[in-house]
Amino acid sequence: MNNKQISILGCGWLGFPLAKHLITKGYHIKGSTTSKEKEPILKDAAIQPYVFRLGEKNHEEILKDFVNDSEIIVINFPPKRIPDIVTIYQEQINALLPYIQSTQKVIFVSSTSVYQNTNDWVTEAIENHPEKESGKAVLAVEQLLQSHLKENLTILRLAGLIGYDRVPGRFLAKKKEVANGKAPINVIHQDDCIGLINAIITQNAWGTIINGCADEHPLRETFYILAAEKVGLVPPQFKKSDTVQFKKISNTKSKTLLNYTYKYPDPLTLVT
């Protein structure tokens, strides 16, 4: 097995810059996309491209070659918001599992949507009761992967993704009567997502679950009003009185286990 090769399932908003970063570290990268049009873009970035959709038939040989000889496999694609999302997402991952060898390591890029609102801090140790179907789907896949991969799996639960072309000022601009304005937000910059994955790989931090989230948690109304104003859009209007439901994602484990320092610890610096 080539210990300088990594397969990245999903070379999109996060996977593509992650692949380019790992190439600078000396890794050969196999990257997947569902779009034939993206194949030359991956090639131009020195990524060995694979075009397939998990769950579709007649992709057995492609999947086998995609994971073959890689030390690490990064599973990085979110569930689609479709009916029966919980079942379909598990079926997609099940299509990949037969080709992963017992000696290979896996990073599953998960989501903090697996956590329920507690109106308090949440850590990796809390019992999960996701409230949305997307969170239920992600948690089901976490458990599926854990049952197959054991200590060869690390789960990275990322908060809301921001940075570069994902401009938070556009998310709620012009909206009125927006709920939960007094709730603290949980976000993470793309650079810190990549930094955490790189730290897991370089430090061989396997067999664990890690949250990825900025240190600071400004109020939702403060952040999104400033974000809209920064890009010249009409800021959202929040409800004057509201029942607040929230969770605050603790990133303590990422900083202690990986000795990681966040590049963007305070999201307000991105919108002021």
Side-chain angles (χ1 to χ4, degrees), residues 2 15 30 38 46 80-82 96 122 130-131 148 152 172 182 191 199 211 216 230 239 254 256 258 263:
N2 182 356
K30 294 180 175 182
K38 290 185 179 179
K80 291 186 176 180
R81 299 183 184 277
I82 54 177
L96 180 69
V122 293
E131 297 164 358
H148 283 77
N152 286 342
L172 299 177
K182 301 299 183 184
D191 289 353
N211 290 337
E216 302 298 328
K230 183 171 183 179
K239 292 181 179 179
S254 68
T256 54
L258 301 175
K263 184 176 179 180

Side-chain angles (χ1 to χ4, degrees), residues 137-174:
V138 170
L139 182 61
V141 164
E142 284 189 4
Q143 294 167 345
L144 174 64
L145 290 169
Q146 286 172 319
S147 68
H148 283 77
L149 303 173
K150 312 297 183 185
E151 294 303 307
N152 286 342
L153 169 72
T154 285
I155 295 168
L156 178 61
R157 293 173 175 164
L158 297 179
L161 304 175
I162 60 173
Y164 301 109
D165 61 336
R166 192 162 290 195
V167 180
R170 299 173 184 161
F171 294 171
L172 299 177
K174 299 182 181 180

Side-chain angles (χ1 to χ4, degrees), residues 34 38 45 47 53 97 102 115 161 230 255 259 263:
T34 59
K38 290 185 179 179
I47 302 165
R53 290 182 183 272
L97 282 174
S102 61
Y115 297 118
L161 304 175
K230 183 171 183 179
K255 294 190 289 186
N259 195 29
K263 184 176 179 180

Side-chain angles (χ1 to χ4, degrees), residues 3-15:
N3 63 3
K4 295 294 286 184
Q5 179 171 284
I6 295 175
S7 297
I8 300 178
L9 180 65
C11 279
W13 182 83
L14 176 58

Side-chain angles (χ1 to χ4, degrees), residues 77-89:
F77 78 101
K80 291 186 176 180
R81 299 183 184 277
I82 54 177
D84 207 14
I85 185 177
V86 178
T87 299
I88 291 172
Y89 197 40

Side-chain angles (χ1 to χ4, degrees), residues 59-61 63-64 67-68 95-101 104:
H59 283 166
E60 291 83 0
E61 289 303 315
L63 287 175
K64 183 178 181 180
V67 300
N68 189 43
L96 180 69
L97 282 174
Y99 307 102
I100 299 177
Q101 301 173 28
Q104 292 174 304

Side-chain angles (χ1 to χ4, degrees), residues 256-270:
T256 54
L257 178 65
L258 301 175
N259 195 29
Y260 186 75
T261 300
Y262 282 77
K263 184 176 179 180
Y264 296 99
D266 184 357
L268 287 181
T269 62
L270 298 169

